[in-house]
Amino acid sequence: MTSTITRVLRNRDASLCLGAVVVSGFGSSAMWLVSGIWVKELTGSDGLAALCTFALWAPALIGPLLGTIADRTRRGPLLIGTNLALGALLTSLLFVDSTSTLWILYAVLFLYGACGAVTDAAEAALVTAAVGKDLTGDFNGLRMSANEGMKLIAPLAGAGLFAAYGGTRVALLDAATFVLAAGMFTLLRVHEDTPVRGALGWRAQTAEGARYLWAHPQLRPLVRAGGLTMLTSGISGAAVYAVVEGLGHSPAYTGVLYVVQGAGSVAVGVASGALMRRFGGRRFGGAGIALTALSVVLQSLPYDVTALAGSLANGLGLPCVLIAGMTAVQRETPQALLGRAAATANTLMFTPTALGIALGAGLVETVDYRVLLPVLAGARLLIAAPLLKTPLTGPSSRT
């Protein structure tokens, strides 16, 4: 495993891509938390603060359409231009100083989310060319580890900077990270052919990527399982405060559970490439989903040690199907379609989280979490079962 990771990190282009992801991810994680705090401080409204998350998530609903941009132009220049544009866009937050200027923050967050959908699609396609299809699983795992690591560090740094200097300084920090990421993408030496513009229109091209993804016998099961798992994850996430209350702790204890979960995600990201080569993408994803089933059973028990173990199991298991799904998309999709297919996969796998949170918010008010979480465990086992039935040999087991 170590030698494979070393191969990825010794690849100059792969290291630059990973560095850009880490740097911009630090700024994004800090800004994500601070935006809600900023609105809460200006307005005192929990609902308006929550709208920050909605503004960031909303563009994901048109992710496949935005991903088409990554197939209509060269991905390297697109990443450079988009990161620079985000850096410039964030400077407009210097004008947010009262409730009357909050519309600027919401508009920036919406555009932030839209640009994120474009860059995710472009990165997925560019990374495949940079590291080769054999190492995409290792790269995706390292990227997951880096992102989760930033989520453990950046929000604390952002909150501290906000407390000391206000939201504008956090915005400037985030802008600087995007400029730095653009510089890293500029140094890439990946050869890209200029995309050939076909006769199809924008909508037809978007549909072409979605049809390819959904018709593919290896990709559809993984993407579908990823989306359903994230739906249940949103529901269980909404129950976390009920779990903490059942343990007799204050709501701040949720931070401890999230740190333990993040540590698990960092660990599994590092090991994911080797595990997928050993067991195949489907079985790796299925085993991860089964582990998340165990996690919610553990969290339904009234003990600190089981709650912590459940958080660790969730952190270890949840990324597996996401890494397996995106790796399969990168390996099985032609370069000309990869931006659209990757964006569609991201939309199908990640947007159900928001629906799950909304559904979970209603369920935790009417259903005891000690009943709800075991039911979710059963649902996750049903989601995992088709993936775990995949034989260890054969081409479909290796995607």
Side-chain angles (χ1 to χ4, degrees):
M1 180 178 72
T2 303
S3 61
T4 306
I5 294 173
T6 302
R7 283 172 60 196
V8 174
L9 296 178
R10 283 180 176 174
N11 182 309
R12 179 180 178 277
D13 290 329
S15 296
L16 286 169
C17 285
L18 190 61
V21 168
V22 169
V23 168
S24 61
F26 179 88
S28 296
S29 295
M31 193 67 222
W32 170 78
L33 174 67
V34 164
S35 62
I37 298 174
W38 198 351
V39 172
K40 174 68 174 177
E41 186 174 274
L42 286 174
T43 67
S45 169
D46 292 329
L48 290 175
L51 279 179
C52 292
T53 303
F54 175 78
L56 281 168
W57 271 99
L61 298 173
I62 55 169
L65 188 65
L66 294 170
T68 303
I69 299 172
D71 288 336
R72 293 172 66 92
T73 185
R74 292 168 58 212
R75 282 81 181 236
L78 177 62
L79 284 169
I80 295 167
T82 304
N83 277 277
L84 289 175
L86 279 169
L89 179 68
L90 283 161
T91 61
S92 65
L93 296 182
L94 295 174
F95 299 100
V96 177
D97 57 5
S98 66
T99 55
S100 64
T101 54
L102 272 183
W103 67 270
I104 300 175
L105 177 58
Y106 289 125
V108 167
L109 291 175
F110 181 85
L111 293 172
Y112 198 120
C115 288
V118 174
T119 56
D120 284 347
E123 284 171 10
L126 196 65
V127 162
T128 307
V131 305
K133 293 189 175 182
D134 290 342
L135 292 178
T136 51
D138 299 273
F139 181 91
N140 290 335
L142 289 174
R143 178 182 178 177
M144 177 68 73
S145 293
N147 280 336
E148 293 301 320
M150 288 303 100
K151 289 177 184 178
L152 296 177
I153 301 170
L156 293 176
L161 188 61
F162 178 86
Y165 301 105
T168 55
R169 296 296 179 91
V170 182
L172 290 176
L173 170 65
D174 197 10
T177 64
F178 280 115
V179 173
L180 185 55
M184 292 181 178
F185 284 125
T186 302
L187 297 174
L188 291 176
R189 297 173 181 170
V190 179
H191 173 72
E192 291 187 89
D193 295 323
T194 302
V196 178
R197 297 289 180 89
L200 295 177
W202 197 284
R203 184 182 299 178
Q205 284 187 315
T206 301
E208 186 181 24
R211 280 197 302 270
Y212 176 86
L213 179 70
W214 205 245
H216 199 290
Q218 279 77 49
L219 302 184
R220 184 177 63 252
L222 278 168
V223 172
R224 181 173 55 204
L228 291 173
T229 302
M230 294 306 290
L231 174 68
T232 67
S233 174
I235 297 173
S236 61
V240 67
Y241 292 105
V243 170
V244 169
E245 183 180 0
L247 295 172
H249 294 295
S250 70
Y253 191 73
T254 58
V256 177
L257 299 181
Y258 282 134
V259 167
V260 173
Q261 179 176 326
S265 296
V266 170
V268 80
V270 173
S272 60
L275 291 172
M276 280 193 286
R277 279 189 293 276
R278 174 66 180 85
F279 299 105
R282 287 195 190 185
R283 292 180 68 88
F284 173 67
I289 298 170
L291 192 55
T292 67
L294 174 62
S295 76
V296 287
V297 171
L298 291 172
Q299 288 183 329
S300 69
L301 302 176
Y303 309 105
D304 281 8
V305 64
T306 56
L308 292 169
S311 292
L312 180 62
N314 197 47
L316 290 168
L318 194 58
C320 295
V321 70
L322 304 176
I323 294 172
M326 186 50 64
T327 300
V329 170
Q330 289 171 299
R331 289 176 176 173
E332 299 292 328
T333 307
Q335 273 289 328
L337 283 172
L338 188 46
R340 285 164 280 174
T344 301
N346 277 330
T347 295
L348 292 174
M349 288 195 292
F350 288 102
T351 54
T353 307
L355 177 60
I357 292 172
L359 181 59
L363 287 173
V364 294
E365 295 294 332
T366 56
V367 181
D368 191 312
Y369 77 92
R370 291 165 294 187
V371 175
L372 177 62
L373 293 182
V375 171
L376 287 178
R380 289 178 179 180
L381 289 176
L382 290 175
I383 297 168
L387 301 182
L388 291 173
K389 290 179 181 178
T390 305
L392 279 173
T393 57
S396 64
S397 69
R398 299 299 166 189
T399 56

